[in-house]
Amino acid sequence: APVPAGPMAHVAAEVAALPRCETVPTIDASELSAAEFAERFMRPNKPVLLTGVSNGWRCRSEWTREDQSGERVPDISRMSDLFGDAKVLVVDCDAPLDTDLSRQEMPFREYARYWHARRDDSRGKDGEGDARLLYCKDWTFAEDFPDYPAYETPPHFADDWLNEYWDEQRVKGVGRRLGSHRFVYVGGKGTDTPLHADVLRSFSWSVNLAGKKRWLMVPPHRAHHLVDASGERRPKDIERADVDRFPRSASSAPIVVEQPGDSALFVPSCWYHQVRNETDCVSVNHNWLNAANARLSWAMLRDELASVRAGLADPDDAGDGVLCQSLVERRAGADFKTFAGILASAARRHGKRALDA
């Protein structure tokens, strides 16, 4: 088949075929079956906010508590007692870029000490306390504590080829943390995650156990307004974008979603989004893919390969499949071989289930 023209052209062709969406409805999870979710939201790649998802979860009862007003808030002292020795990655949200170089690893109890030493907002900018905005992100909790059943994946999100593949690889002895896409986030008021689209253009679900989050979500058909003249760079914050560098960013017209506690936000593939913790928050997040969005992951990988080859000045390097695939993996989170393994793993599991039925 002919290769589409332009940057990320394969993804653009897939996005053009997606139904358009301008709203994020709120639905009680008990009133939406997994089959209905797949039909109405997952397959057409539309977001939805599901409420009432974390009742009965161990993490909700042990990681959060009620404050004096009756609101659930993170119980960092209890989490530190339970998991204080765990090594977590912490980002300074005031750093210019959220990259691996801006992250530091520390025991969770050290993060808890920071949490309790934070400046009291009621005293203003000159108040006493630690003024940093440190965010505990991408904590691979399920791997660190496999015998601690913190939560159960909601049935709506259970068809997860990505994490099931990596679970199989770890059983085979592949290195720890490789390919983990199950995370816990702990952040105070004002911490945030900059604008991005998820790894491999996967789906994600985010369950907020306590606190309030504010999401800005850009529908895929307006994502092209986010890029600069090069067609590759996007602003860190849509609402504070440099209009000279990103003159069309306002046309991206993001949808605002206010996420309360005890709710799950389904973020479809190719929806650029940024998130701010409006209050202290603790949440659980999974990235995942399946038959509904695998084609978008494949399109992204093909575009990444084309971009890698175009960026290699030496024709021999551009023709070196091993080199190019290693660069694709570094940029996209997987290479062609890994993606083929994900598909083969899913086919084996579904085939076995069909035979056992």
Side-chain angles (χ1 to χ4, degrees):
V3 177
M8 302 303 287
H10 290 97
V11 169
E14 292 289 348
V15 164
L18 292 173
R20 297 197 173 191
C21 177
E22 298 293 344
T23 61
V24 182
T26 299
I27 302 176
D28 189 302
S30 66
E31 298 176 359
L32 185 74
S33 70
E36 290 170 329
F37 164 77
E39 181 67 23
R40 293 174 55 186
F41 300 104
M42 187 173 71
R43 284 195 284 272
N45 207 59
K46 296 180 178 181
V48 64
L49 183 68
L50 300 179
T51 59
V53 295
S54 63
N55 288 325
W57 284 10
R58 183 176 179 180
C59 58
R60 181 168 167 82
S61 63
E62 295 189 357
W63 303 0
T64 71
R65 60 178 177 82
E66 285 192 1
D67 65 9
Q68 292 179 342
S69 68
E71 294 288 330
R72 295 209 74 84
V73 296
D75 190 343
I76 302 303
S77 295
R78 181 73 185 282
M79 292 184 72
S80 181
D81 289 342
L82 292 168
F83 318 117
D85 291 333
K87 297 292 178 59
V88 296
L89 291 175
V90 175
V91 175
D92 186 341
C93 292
D94 289 328
L97 293 174
D98 179 6
T99 66
D100 289 343
L101 296 177
S102 70
R103 299 185 176 204
Q104 56 178 316
E105 187 178 72
M106 63 178 67
F108 187 80
R109 66 166 44 87
E110 182 178 337
Y111 181 74
R113 281 195 291 270
Y114 150 77
W115 184 279
H116 294 303
R118 291 176 303 161
R119 185 169 60 198
D120 185 348
D121 286 346
S122 66
R123 299 178 184 174
K125 293 183 178 180
D126 297 326
E128 297 180 356
D130 195 324
R132 294 175 298 169
L133 287 173
L134 300 187
Y135 198 177
C136 173
K137 285 186 172 184
D138 299 338
W139 181 5
T140 52
F141 180 90
E143 280 194 65
D144 289 347
F145 299 94
D147 298 324
Y148 181 98
Y151 58 90
E152 294 182 4
T153 298
H156 310 77
F157 315 135
D159 187 14
D160 181 348
W161 297 1
L162 186 61
N163 287 296
E164 288 183 348
Y165 168 76
W166 286 113
D167 287 345
E168 289 180 357
Q169 296 306 299
R170 279 184 284 276
V171 169
K172 296 176 182 177
V174 174
R176 185 175 177 274
R177 292 187 185 276
L178 182 62
S180 179
H181 296 283
R182 300 183 181 104
F183 306 113
V184 168
Y185 288 71
V186 185
K189 178 181 178 181
T191 53
D192 68 329
T193 297
L195 181 70
H196 66 286
D198 286 318
V199 60
L200 276 177
R201 298 305 179 264
S202 58
F203 295 143
S204 71
W205 60 263
S206 180
V207 170
N208 204 23
L209 300 173
K212 298 177 182 178
K213 292 179 180 286
R214 182 175 184 265
W215 296 68
L216 297 182
M217 302 180 64
V218 178
H221 66 276
R222 289 202 295 272
H224 63 282
H225 293 302
L226 295 169
V227 296
D228 63 5
S230 72
E232 296 181 356
R233 300 293 181 184
R234 296 170 182 82
K236 176 181 177 181
D237 184 339
I238 303 173
E239 295 180 312
R240 294 173 176 80
D242 183 337
V243 294
D244 292 326
R245 186 176 181 187
F246 304 101
R248 298 180 297 158
S249 59
S251 298
S252 66
I255 300 169
V256 179
V257 180
E258 301 287 350
Q259 184 185 15
D262 189 27
S263 66
L265 181 62
F266 168 61
V267 182
S269 296
C270 297
W271 281 68
Y272 277 85
H273 52 282
Q274 63 187 63
V275 193
R276 178 182 173 86
N277 292 325
E278 298 288 272
T279 66
D280 294 349
C281 292
V282 57
S283 59
V284 175
N285 176 282
H286 285 200
N287 292 104
W288 53 301
L289 63 87
N290 56 36
N293 66 336
R295 69 190 188 284
L296 291 162
S297 298
W298 174 232
M300 183 222 183
L301 288 172
R302 294 170 72 190
D303 285 334
E304 289 290 0
L305 178 60
S307 177
V308 163
R309 285 176 169 164
L312 294 172
D314 188 329
D316 289 338
D317 288 341
D320 186 334
V322 174
L323 172 63
C324 289
Q325 287 297 321
S326 68
L327 294 174
V328 167
E329 182 179 27
R330 184 182 302 175
R331 292 171 56 156
D335 58 13
F336 282 26
K337 181 179 178 181
T338 297
F339 187 70
I342 292 170
L343 299 185
S345 169
R348 286 193 301 271
R349 287 193 308 275
H350 282 268
K352 185 177 185 302
R353 290 168 187 164
L355 291 173
D356 293 342

